[in-house]
Amino acid sequence: MRLTLPVLIAHGRYGRRMGLGPESRINMLRNILTGLVRHERIETTWARADEVRIYAEKVSDMLISFTRPLFSCFSLVQEKDLVHKLFKVLVPRLGSEQRGYTRLFQIPNRDSLDRAKMAVLELRGNPFPPLVTRQPDSDGSLLNQLLRGYREEATRSRAAGGD
Amino acid sequence: MSATGLLDVFRRSFFHLESRILQAIGFNNHAVVPALSVQGPGIFPQLHRNEETEEHSLLDNIFWMAAPKKRRTIEVNRCRRRNPQKLIEIKTNIEPCSGCGNLKQKHVLCGFCYEKVRRETAIIRGQIQAQEGKPLNNPAVETVVLYEGEKPADTDAGKRIVERKRQRPSWFTQY
C-alpha cells in the first residue's frame, strides 16, 4: 500500500464506521453491492460508495482469478438471478481489465436538507451513456482562432496607444 | 436578596478570608477554642440558616470570578472579527464545464451534464424493467442500447436489446 498522507494519518485503521454497528454496516454494504451488480450504475453517498468499492473490487478479483464458483459470493449477492449474471456476464467482461473494475465520481451535493456528498459508482463496460466524455479541443476552430486574433490585436493597439 | 442574607454573606466571607490569612501566616489553630467568651449576642447578629451549602458556596465564591477589566475597543474588536482565520475562504477550484459552460468544481462532475445522463439512464432502466416484466428477472446476458435507425452489429449477437425511440444524443457515442 502506498504511503499517502491519509494512510499515514489513519494509523492502521481501515474501514469506516457506518449505520448502527458493524453488522448493520455489512448489511448495508451488501445491499448496495447487490444494487450495483443489478443496475451497474448507482448513486449513493460518497462514503458508502467508497466502502462498497473495496468489496466490489475484492469480489471481482476473487471471481476472476478462480475458475470454479465460490460459495462465499452467495452471502454477498443474495438474489439468484444476479449470481448467474455475475459469472456469465461480469466475469468475462471484467476479466480482461488491467485496471480497476469500478469507477467512482463525485456529483454535486444532494438537493435535500442534509446536502450530503454524493457519488456515482459504476462498473466498467456498462451499457449506459458515459458519465465523462472527452471534449474535443475547440481552440483550433475557425471562430475561436478569429476571436483570438482579434483579442491579440486589441491588446497590441492598446499597448501601442498607451505608449 | 434580603439585608440579613447579604450581611450573613459578608460575615462568612470575612471569616473565610481571616482564616486564610492566618493559615498563610502559619497560625493553624484547627482546634477552635474561643479566646474570649461573651454572654449575649456577639459582634455580628447570629441567624439560624437551614439552607443547602451549594448556594452558600456560590455566593462566597462570587468575589473570585473572572470578569473583563476594560471595555474592548472597536479597534481591538475589528482586529479579532476580521482576521483571515474568521473570514470565509475564497475557492479557487471553480471552473466552467467544457461541455455546457456551466460552472463546476474541478473534482466534481458538472451538474447539468450529469443530469442529462441521469435522465437518459433512468429512461433506459424503465425500458429494461418493462422488458423483464417481474422483479428479480435479470437475464444473464449483456445489454445494448439502440436508438432510432440503428441495427445491432455483429458483436451484439447474444445481447439483450433496449430500443429508444429517439435520435442518438451526441454525448452517447457508440464505441
Side-chain angles (χ1 to χ4, degrees):
Chain A
M1 206 150 160
R2 270 214 322 241
L3 286 180
T4 57
L5 186 65
V7 167
L8 287 169
I9 284 174
H11 293 292
R13 280 168 211 183
Y14 186 79
R16 290 174 180 80
R17 294 193 208 185
M18 256 178 223
L20 308 163
E23 204 181 313
S24 158
R25 171 182 169 271
I26 289 281
N27 290 338
M28 195 196 295
L29 294 179
R30 190 192 301 126
N31 288 336
I32 299 172
L33 184 60
T34 311
L36 177 66
V37 169
R38 177 179 288 285
H39 298 118
E40 297 187 33
R41 180 185 284 178
I42 53 172
E43 203 183 287
T44 56
T45 56
W46 191 85
R48 289 176 191 172
D50 209 25
E51 288 289 300
V52 166
R53 215 180 171 196
I54 298 167
Y55 290 94
E57 307 250 339
K58 281 213 167 98
V59 166
S60 315
D61 252 339
M62 257 190 341
L63 297 176
I64 286 165
S65 45
F66 295 100
T67 47
R68 54 185 175 74
L70 281 173
F71 292 95
S72 60
C73 72
F74 289 120
S75 64
L76 279 165
V77 172
Q78 284 173 328
E79 288 153 23
K80 287 266 176 63
D81 54 335
L82 291 184
V83 175
H84 294 295
K85 181 181 172 182
L86 258 183
F87 287 106
K88 291 194 188 146
V89 173
L90 294 181
V91 168
R93 191 218 280 175
L94 300 172
S96 54
E97 287 286 345
Q98 292 301 317
R99 25 194 197 155
Y101 312 114
T102 53
R103 283 174 117 192
L104 179 69
F105 297 105
Q106 190 182 344
I107 49 181
N109 290 356
R110 208 195 264 158
D111 277 332
S112 61
L113 189 67
D114 64 0
R115 308 297 294 175
K117 182 177 181 182
M118 297 293 278
V120 60
L121 184 64
E122 60 167 15
L123 297 172
R124 279 200 196 273
N126 63 73
F128 299 120
L131 287 165
V132 174
T133 44
R134 280 231 189 92
Q135 295 295 328
D137 188 21
S138 57
D139 198 39
S141 74
L142 180 65
L143 184 63
N144 278 338
Q145 285 291 313
L146 291 171
L147 283 169
R148 193 169 147 199
Y150 171 74
R151 242 184 292 135
E152 280 168 7
E153 219 197 290
T155 46
R156 241 181 288 132
S157 64
R158 213 183 305 131
D163 297 341
Chain B
M1 184 76 173
S2 58
T4 45
L6 195 65
L7 212 57
D8 201 31
V9 166
F10 278 130
R11 185 191 122 255
R12 266 186 286 104
S13 321
F14 172 76
F15 281 130
H16 188 60
L17 187 65
E18 191 194 22
S19 66
R20 278 168 83 173
I21 289 167
L22 289 175
Q23 248 182 14
I25 291 167
F27 194 76
N28 292 334
N29 193 4
H30 295 293
V32 180
V33 171
L36 172 72
S37 54
V38 172
Q39 211 171 25
I43 304 162
F44 292 96
Q46 304 264 355
L47 285 167
H48 189 55
R49 286 269 171 230
N50 261 340
E51 287 151 34
E52 295 94 88
T53 46
E54 267 181 43
E55 203 201 331
H56 294 296
S57 60
L58 169 69
L59 295 170
D60 282 343
N61 292 336
I62 229 167
F63 295 99
W64 284 274
M65 276 187 169
K69 194 80 186 172
K70 287 279 180 187
R71 178 208 156 106
R72 274 172 167 180
T73 58
I74 186 63
E75 292 89 359
V76 166
N77 281 339
R78 279 197 196 117
C79 287
R80 184 184 68 257
R81 288 167 193 163
R82 292 182 192 182
N83 82 54
Q85 184 246 332
K86 294 214 169 147
L87 299 177
I88 300 170
E89 277 178 33
I90 302 169
K91 288 196 179 165
T92 51
N93 56 357
I94 303 174
E95 56 169 20
C97 168
S98 54
C100 60
N102 288 311
L103 291 174
K104 69 185 262 303
Q105 283 192 302
K106 282 183 187 160
H107 59 290
V108 179
L109 297 184
C110 169
F112 188 79
C113 300
Y114 175 67
E115 188 59 31
K116 276 192 312 201
V117 171
R118 198 189 66 83
R119 285 197 189 192
E120 188 64 27
T121 317
I123 295 168
I124 294 168
R125 276 221 194 97
Q127 296 250 282
I128 288 172
Q129 209 178 29
Q131 273 189 350
E132 285 177 8
K134 48 182 189 163
L136 307 182
N137 203 17
N138 207 310
V141 285
E142 293 261 16
T143 313
V144 70
V145 184
L146 294 176
Y147 286 87
E148 234 173 65
E150 284 172 17
K151 300 267 161 39
D154 296 326
T155 48
D156 306 335
K159 295 187 189 174
R160 158 172 72 167
I161 292 167
V162 178
E163 305 255 309
R164 280 280 293 128
K165 289 195 186 70
R166 58 157 284 182
Q167 211 191 19
R168 181 170 280 270
S170 58
W171 36 269
F172 191 174
T173 49
Q174 221 172 359
Y175 304 112

